[in-house]
PDB file of all heavy atoms in Angstrom:
ATOM      1  N   LEU A   9     -15.936 -32.025 -18.862  1.00 48.00           N
ATOM      2  CA  LEU A   9     -14.903 -30.991 -18.756  1.00 48.00           C
ATOM      3  C   LEU A   9     -13.772 -31.250 -19.755  1.00 48.00           C
ATOM      4  O   LEU A   9     -13.197 -30.325 -20.312  1.00 48.00           O
ATOM      5  CB  LEU A   9     -14.338 -30.926 -17.337  1.00 48.00           C
ATOM      6  CG  LEU A   9     -15.238 -30.319 -16.275  1.00 48.00           C
ATOM      7  CD1 LEU A   9     -14.586 -30.451 -14.900  1.00 48.00           C
ATOM      8  CD2 LEU A   9     -15.529 -28.866 -16.576  1.00 48.00           C
ATOM      9  N   GLN A  15      -7.871 -26.940 -19.797  1.00 48.00           N
ATOM     10  CA  GLN A  15      -7.489 -26.163 -18.605  1.00 48.00           C
ATOM     11  C   GLN A  15      -8.410 -26.476 -17.439  1.00 48.00           C
ATOM     12  O   GLN A  15      -7.976 -26.619 -16.311  1.00 48.00           O
ATOM     13  CB  GLN A  15      -7.529 -24.675 -18.894  1.00 48.00           C
ATOM     14  CG  GLN A  15      -6.396 -24.199 -19.755  1.00 48.00           C
ATOM     15  CD  GLN A  15      -6.495 -22.716 -19.993  1.00 48.00           C
ATOM     16  OE1 GLN A  15      -7.589 -22.183 -20.169  1.00 48.00           O
ATOM     17  NE2 GLN A  15      -5.354 -22.051 -19.987  1.00 48.00           N
ATOM     18  N   ARG A  22      -6.609 -31.167  -9.991  1.00 48.00           N
ATOM     19  CA  ARG A  22      -5.915 -30.661  -8.795  1.00 48.00           C
ATOM     20  C   ARG A  22      -6.854 -30.630  -7.600  1.00 48.00           C
ATOM     21  O   ARG A  22      -6.451 -30.849  -6.472  1.00 48.00           O
ATOM     22  CB  ARG A  22      -5.341 -29.275  -9.051  1.00 48.00           C
ATOM     23  CG  ARG A  22      -4.010 -29.341  -9.766  1.00 48.00           C
ATOM     24  CD  ARG A  22      -3.458 -27.979  -9.945  1.00 48.00           C
ATOM     25  NE  ARG A  22      -4.186 -27.407 -11.084  1.00 48.00           N
ATOM     26  CZ  ARG A  22      -4.258 -26.134 -11.378  1.00 48.00           C
ATOM     27  NH1 ARG A  22      -3.680 -25.253 -10.646  1.00 48.00           N
ATOM     28  NH2 ARG A  22      -4.930 -25.712 -12.423  1.00 48.00           N
ATOM     29  N   GLN A  24      -9.149 -32.734  -6.991  1.00 52.00           N
ATOM     30  CA  GLN A  24      -9.322 -34.106  -6.522  1.00 52.00           C
ATOM     31  C   GLN A  24      -8.032 -34.671  -5.952  1.00 52.00           C
ATOM     32  O   GLN A  24      -8.001 -35.787  -5.474  1.00 52.00           O
ATOM     33  CB  GLN A  24      -9.779 -34.992  -7.685  1.00 52.00           C
ATOM     34  CG  GLN A  24     -11.111 -34.604  -8.256  1.00 52.00           C
ATOM     35  CD  GLN A  24     -11.409 -35.403  -9.508  1.00 52.00           C
ATOM     36  OE1 GLN A  24     -10.872 -36.480  -9.715  1.00 52.00           O
ATOM     37  NE2 GLN A  24     -12.282 -34.867 -10.349  1.00 52.00           N
ATOM     38  N   ASN A  40      -1.325  -4.840  -4.430  1.00 97.00           N
ATOM     39  CA  ASN A  40      -0.951  -4.118  -3.216  1.00 97.00           C
ATOM     40  C   ASN A  40      -0.917  -2.652  -3.625  1.00 97.00           C
ATOM     41  O   ASN A  40       0.084  -2.161  -4.127  1.00 97.00           O
ATOM     42  CB  ASN A  40       0.407  -4.584  -2.700  1.00 97.00           C
ATOM     43  CG  ASN A  40       0.844  -3.853  -1.454  1.00 97.00           C
ATOM     44  OD1 ASN A  40       0.187  -2.923  -0.991  1.00 97.00           O
ATOM     45  ND2 ASN A  40       1.970  -4.258  -0.913  1.00 97.00           N
ATOM     46  N   ARG A  55      17.065  10.394   4.420  1.00 94.00           N
ATOM     47  CA  ARG A  55      17.786   9.401   5.221  1.00 94.00           C
ATOM     48  C   ARG A  55      18.628   8.529   4.316  1.00 94.00           C
ATOM     49  O   ARG A  55      18.391   8.451   3.123  1.00 94.00           O
ATOM     50  CB  ARG A  55      16.791   8.533   5.996  1.00 94.00           C
ATOM     51  CG  ARG A  55      15.916   9.341   6.928  1.00 94.00           C
ATOM     52  CD  ARG A  55      15.619   8.587   8.168  1.00 94.00           C
ATOM     53  NE  ARG A  55      14.925   9.451   9.101  1.00 94.00           N
ATOM     54  CZ  ARG A  55      13.794   9.153   9.682  1.00 94.00           C
ATOM     55  NH1 ARG A  55      13.211   8.008   9.459  1.00 94.00           N
ATOM     56  NH2 ARG A  55      13.246  10.001  10.518  1.00 94.00           N
ATOM     57  N   ASN A  57      22.328   7.113   2.628  1.00 88.00           N
ATOM     58  CA  ASN A  57      23.542   7.717   2.066  1.00 88.00           C
ATOM     59  C   ASN A  57      23.310   8.033   0.594  1.00 88.00           C
ATOM     60  O   ASN A  57      22.212   7.864   0.079  1.00 88.00           O
ATOM     61  CB  ASN A  57      24.746   6.786   2.263  1.00 88.00           C
ATOM     62  CG  ASN A  57      24.498   5.406   1.689  1.00 88.00           C
ATOM     63  OD1 ASN A  57      23.887   5.261   0.638  1.00 88.00           O
ATOM     64  ND2 ASN A  57      24.965   4.376   2.400  1.00 88.00           N
ATOM     65  N   ASP A  58      24.367   8.491  -0.084  1.00 82.00           N
ATOM     66  CA  ASP A  58      24.223   8.883  -1.483  1.00 82.00           C
ATOM     67  C   ASP A  58      23.794   7.720  -2.379  1.00 82.00           C
ATOM     68  O   ASP A  58      23.052   7.905  -3.333  1.00 82.00           O
ATOM     69  CB  ASP A  58      25.528   9.478  -2.012  1.00 82.00           C
ATOM     70  CG  ASP A  58      25.814  10.840  -1.414  1.00 82.00           C
ATOM     71  OD1 ASP A  58      24.850  11.488  -0.947  1.00 82.00           O
ATOM     72  OD2 ASP A  58      26.992  11.248  -1.403  1.00 82.00           O
ATOM     73  N   LYS A  59      24.267   6.529  -2.063  1.00 86.00           N
ATOM     74  CA  LYS A  59      23.951   5.366  -2.887  1.00 86.00           C
ATOM     75  C   LYS A  59      22.551   4.808  -2.593  1.00 86.00           C
ATOM     76  O   LYS A  59      21.841   4.394  -3.507  1.00 86.00           O
ATOM     77  CB  LYS A  59      25.008   4.270  -2.669  1.00 86.00           C
ATOM     78  CG  LYS A  59      24.937   3.162  -3.668  1.00 86.00           C
ATOM     79  CD  LYS A  59      26.110   2.218  -3.531  1.00 86.00           C
ATOM     80  CE  LYS A  59      26.040   1.150  -4.596  1.00 86.00           C
ATOM     81  NZ  LYS A  59      27.183   0.245  -4.532  1.00 86.00           N
ATOM     82  N   HIS A  60      22.164   4.780  -1.323  1.00 90.00           N
ATOM     83  CA  HIS A  60      20.866   4.243  -0.909  1.00 90.00           C
ATOM     84  C   HIS A  60      20.173   5.280  -0.033  1.00 90.00           C
ATOM     85  O   HIS A  60      20.339   5.274   1.187  1.00 90.00           O
ATOM     86  CB  HIS A  60      21.031   2.938  -0.122  1.00 90.00           C
ATOM     87  CG  HIS A  60      21.711   1.857  -0.902  1.00 90.00           C
ATOM     88  ND1 HIS A  60      21.081   1.164  -1.905  1.00 90.00           N
ATOM     89  CD2 HIS A  60      22.964   1.364  -0.836  1.00 90.00           C
ATOM     90  CE1 HIS A  60      21.917   0.285  -2.413  1.00 90.00           C
ATOM     91  NE2 HIS A  60      23.071   0.384  -1.791  1.00 90.00           N
ATOM     92  N   SER A  61      19.408   6.162  -0.646  1.00 94.00           N
ATOM     93  CA  SER A  61      18.735   7.191   0.131  1.00 94.00           C
ATOM     94  C   SER A  61      17.223   7.081  -0.008  1.00 94.00           C
ATOM     95  O   SER A  61      16.705   6.456  -0.938  1.00 94.00           O
ATOM     96  CB  SER A  61      19.217   8.578  -0.300  1.00 94.00           C
ATOM     97  OG  SER A  61      18.972   8.776  -1.662  1.00 94.00           O
ATOM     98  N   VAL A  62      16.539   7.681   0.933  1.00 96.00           N
ATOM     99  CA  VAL A  62      15.082   7.688   0.969  1.00 96.00           C
ATOM    100  C   VAL A  62      14.638   9.012   1.587  1.00 96.00           C
ATOM    101  O   VAL A  62      15.332   9.578   2.430  1.00 96.00           O
ATOM    102  CB  VAL A  62      14.539   6.488   1.778  1.00 96.00           C
ATOM    103  CG1 VAL A  62      15.003   6.529   3.226  1.00 96.00           C
ATOM    104  CG2 VAL A  62      13.028   6.406   1.703  1.00 96.00           C
ATOM    105  N   PHE A  65       8.176  11.182   5.053  1.00 98.00           N
ATOM    106  CA  PHE A  65       7.348  12.214   5.673  1.00 98.00           C
ATOM    107  C   PHE A  65       6.080  11.558   6.205  1.00 98.00           C
ATOM    108  O   PHE A  65       5.732  10.439   5.816  1.00 98.00           O
ATOM    109  CB  PHE A  65       7.036  13.363   4.693  1.00 98.00           C
ATOM    110  CG  PHE A  65       6.211  12.988   3.497  1.00 98.00           C
ATOM    111  CD1 PHE A  65       4.826  13.130   3.515  1.00 98.00           C
ATOM    112  CD2 PHE A  65       6.798  12.506   2.342  1.00 98.00           C
ATOM    113  CE1 PHE A  65       4.060  12.800   2.408  1.00 98.00           C
ATOM    114  CE2 PHE A  65       6.061  12.181   1.230  1.00 98.00           C
ATOM    115  CZ  PHE A  65       4.673  12.331   1.260  1.00 98.00           C
ATOM    116  N   THR A  69      -4.562  11.526   7.503  1.00 98.00           N
ATOM    117  CA  THR A  69      -5.862  11.416   6.851  1.00 98.00           C
ATOM    118  C   THR A  69      -6.921  11.418   7.937  1.00 98.00           C
ATOM    119  O   THR A  69      -6.685  10.943   9.053  1.00 98.00           O
ATOM    120  CB  THR A  69      -5.978  10.138   5.998  1.00 98.00           C
ATOM    121  OG1 THR A  69      -5.753   8.995   6.826  1.00 98.00           O
ATOM    122  CG2 THR A  69      -4.988  10.156   4.851  1.00 98.00           C
ATOM    123  N   THR A  76     -21.724   7.244  19.161  1.00 88.00           N
ATOM    124  CA  THR A  76     -22.916   6.640  19.769  1.00 88.00           C
ATOM    125  C   THR A  76     -23.911   7.682  20.261  1.00 88.00           C
ATOM    126  O   THR A  76     -25.086   7.384  20.413  1.00 88.00           O
ATOM    127  CB  THR A  76     -22.519   5.725  20.945  1.00 88.00           C
ATOM    128  OG1 THR A  76     -21.740   6.477  21.876  1.00 88.00           O
ATOM    129  CG2 THR A  76     -21.718   4.529  20.441  1.00 88.00           C
ATOM    130  N   GLY A  78     -24.683  10.292  18.576  1.00 89.00           N
ATOM    131  CA  GLY A  78     -25.245  10.919  17.394  1.00 89.00           C
ATOM    132  C   GLY A  78     -24.478  12.145  16.930  1.00 89.00           C
ATOM    133  O   GLY A  78     -24.893  12.818  15.996  1.00 89.00           O
ATOM    134  N   PHE A  92      11.441   6.430  -2.706  1.00 96.00           N
ATOM    135  CA  PHE A  92      12.724   5.899  -3.174  1.00 96.00           C
ATOM    136  C   PHE A  92      13.051   6.322  -4.603  1.00 96.00           C
ATOM    137  O   PHE A  92      14.199   6.298  -4.992  1.00 96.00           O
ATOM    138  CB  PHE A  92      12.727   4.365  -3.098  1.00 96.00           C
ATOM    139  CG  PHE A  92      12.746   3.838  -1.687  1.00 96.00           C
ATOM    140  CD1 PHE A  92      11.577   3.446  -1.062  1.00 96.00           C
ATOM    141  CD2 PHE A  92      13.941   3.743  -0.985  1.00 96.00           C
ATOM    142  CE1 PHE A  92      11.593   2.955   0.233  1.00 96.00           C
ATOM    143  CE2 PHE A  92      13.972   3.244   0.309  1.00 96.00           C
ATOM    144  CZ  PHE A  92      12.786   2.858   0.921  1.00 96.00           C
ATOM    145  N   PRO A  94      14.259   8.346  -7.505  1.00 94.00           N
ATOM    146  CA  PRO A  94      15.171   9.496  -7.437  1.00 94.00           C
ATOM    147  C   PRO A  94      14.551  10.853  -7.790  1.00 94.00           C
ATOM    148  O   PRO A  94      14.675  11.808  -7.028  1.00 94.00           O
ATOM    149  CB  PRO A  94      16.288   9.123  -8.415  1.00 94.00           C
ATOM    150  CG  PRO A  94      16.284   7.630  -8.429  1.00 94.00           C
ATOM    151  CD  PRO A  94      14.853   7.242  -8.268  1.00 94.00           C
ATOM    152  N   ASP A  98      13.696  13.855  -4.976  1.00 95.00           N
ATOM    153  CA  ASP A  98      14.220  15.221  -5.016  1.00 95.00           C
ATOM    154  C   ASP A  98      13.102  16.254  -4.996  1.00 95.00           C
ATOM    155  O   ASP A  98      13.182  17.261  -4.285  1.00 95.00           O
ATOM    156  CB  ASP A  98      15.086  15.428  -6.266  1.00 95.00           C
ATOM    157  CG  ASP A  98      16.365  14.603  -6.222  1.00 95.00           C
ATOM    158  OD1 ASP A  98      16.787  14.206  -5.108  1.00 95.00           O
ATOM    159  OD2 ASP A  98      16.932  14.351  -7.301  1.00 95.00           O
ATOM    160  N   THR A  99      12.038  16.014  -5.745  1.00 96.00           N
ATOM    161  CA  THR A  99      10.904  16.949  -5.787  1.00 96.00           C
ATOM    162  C   THR A  99      10.234  17.050  -4.425  1.00 96.00           C
ATOM    163  O   THR A  99       9.948  18.160  -3.947  1.00 96.00           O
ATOM    164  CB  THR A  99       9.885  16.486  -6.852  1.00 96.00           C
ATOM    165  OG1 THR A  99      10.534  16.409  -8.113  1.00 96.00           O
ATOM    166  CG2 THR A  99       8.715  17.435  -6.935  1.00 96.00           C
ATOM    167  N   ARG A 105       5.970  20.774   1.931  1.00 95.00           N
ATOM    168  CA  ARG A 105       6.023  21.469   3.216  1.00 95.00           C
ATOM    169  C   ARG A 105       4.930  20.976   4.162  1.00 95.00           C
ATOM    170  O   ARG A 105       3.873  20.498   3.722  1.00 95.00           O
ATOM    171  CB  ARG A 105       5.866  22.980   3.022  1.00 95.00           C
ATOM    172  CG  ARG A 105       6.999  23.610   2.236  1.00 95.00           C
ATOM    173  CD  ARG A 105       8.303  23.548   3.042  1.00 95.00           C
ATOM    174  NE  ARG A 105       9.458  23.869   2.230  1.00 95.00           N
ATOM    175  CZ  ARG A 105      10.401  23.005   1.858  1.00 95.00           C
ATOM    176  NH1 ARG A 105      10.333  21.756   2.206  1.00 95.00           N
ATOM    177  NH2 ARG A 105      11.415  23.387   1.142  1.00 95.00           N
ATOM    178  N   VAL A 110      -1.675  16.703  -0.131  1.00 98.00           N
ATOM    179  CA  VAL A 110      -1.097  15.876  -1.196  1.00 98.00           C
ATOM    180  C   VAL A 110      -1.922  14.607  -1.388  1.00 98.00           C
ATOM    181  O   VAL A 110      -2.626  14.160  -0.485  1.00 98.00           O
ATOM    182  CB  VAL A 110       0.379  15.490  -0.921  1.00 98.00           C
ATOM    183  CG1 VAL A 110       1.279  16.698  -0.937  1.00 98.00           C
ATOM    184  CG2 VAL A 110       0.520  14.722   0.362  1.00 98.00           C
ATOM    185  N   GLY A 114       0.736   4.408  -3.986  1.00 98.00           N
ATOM    186  CA  GLY A 114       1.869   3.522  -3.762  1.00 98.00           C
ATOM    187  C   GLY A 114       1.420   2.169  -3.272  1.00 98.00           C
ATOM    188  O   GLY A 114       0.311   1.727  -3.565  1.00 98.00           O
ATOM    189  N   ARG A 115       2.301   1.531  -2.490  1.00 98.00           N
ATOM    190  CA  ARG A 115       1.999   0.200  -1.956  1.00 98.00           C
ATOM    191  C   ARG A 115       2.369   0.171  -0.483  1.00 98.00           C
ATOM    192  O   ARG A 115       3.235   0.913  -0.027  1.00 98.00           O
ATOM    193  CB  ARG A 115       2.749  -0.876  -2.729  1.00 98.00           C
ATOM    194  CG  ARG A 115       4.247  -0.757  -2.638  1.00 98.00           C
ATOM    195  CD  ARG A 115       4.962  -1.798  -3.516  1.00 98.00           C
ATOM    196  NE  ARG A 115       6.380  -1.555  -3.547  1.00 98.00           N
ATOM    197  CZ  ARG A 115       7.246  -1.970  -2.641  1.00 98.00           C
ATOM    198  NH1 ARG A 115       6.827  -2.687  -1.614  1.00 98.00           N
ATOM    199  NH2 ARG A 115       8.519  -1.688  -2.745  1.00 98.00           N
ATOM    200  N   GLU A 120      10.334  -5.429   9.935  1.00 91.00           N
ATOM    201  CA  GLU A 120      10.749  -5.539  11.338  1.00 91.00           C
ATOM    202  C   GLU A 120      12.173  -5.018  11.462  1.00 91.00           C
ATOM    203  O   GLU A 120      12.961  -5.122  10.527  1.00 91.00           O
ATOM    204  CB  GLU A 120      10.714  -6.997  11.803  1.00 91.00           C
ATOM    205  CG  GLU A 120       9.331  -7.549  11.954  1.00 91.00           C
ATOM    206  CD  GLU A 120       9.335  -8.963  12.521  1.00 91.00           C
ATOM    207  OE1 GLU A 120      10.427  -9.569  12.653  1.00 91.00           O
ATOM    208  OE2 GLU A 120       8.246  -9.459  12.827  1.00 91.00           O
ATOM    209  N   ASP A 138       3.855   7.828  -6.565  1.00 98.00           N
ATOM    210  CA  ASP A 138       3.607   9.183  -7.036  1.00 98.00           C
ATOM    211  C   ASP A 138       3.091  10.032  -5.877  1.00 98.00           C
ATOM    212  O   ASP A 138       2.401   9.528  -4.992  1.00 98.00           O
ATOM    213  CB  ASP A 138       2.576   9.173  -8.171  1.00 98.00           C
ATOM    214  CG  ASP A 138       2.589  10.436  -9.008  1.00 98.00           C
ATOM    215  OD1 ASP A 138       3.490  11.290  -8.797  1.00 98.00           O
ATOM    216  OD2 ASP A 138       1.720  10.583  -9.883  1.00 98.00           O
ATOM    217  N   ASN A 145      -5.577  27.846  -1.619  1.00 56.00           N
ATOM    218  CA  ASN A 145      -5.993  29.174  -2.084  1.00 56.00           C
ATOM    219  C   ASN A 145      -5.028  30.268  -1.639  1.00 56.00           C
ATOM    220  O   ASN A 145      -4.814  31.231  -2.354  1.00 56.00           O
ATOM    221  CB  ASN A 145      -7.406  29.487  -1.616  1.00 56.00           C
ATOM    222  CG  ASN A 145      -8.433  28.616  -2.318  1.00 56.00           C
ATOM    223  OD1 ASN A 145      -8.183  28.126  -3.425  1.00 56.00           O
ATOM    224  ND2 ASN A 145      -9.568  28.410  -1.698  1.00 56.00           N
TER     225      ASN A 145
END
Side-chain angles (χ1 to χ4, degrees):
L9 287 175
Q15 287 180 322
R22 278 182 281 162
Q24 297 173 23
N40 179 355
R55 301 215 173 128
N57 55 38
D58 289 338
K59 192 172 183 178
H60 300 286
S61 59
V62 61
F65 64 94
T69 58
T76 55
F92 290 97
D98 293 339
T99 302
R105 296 293 168 249
V110 294
R115 62 184 173 84
E120 289 184 352
D138 199 7
N145 291 335

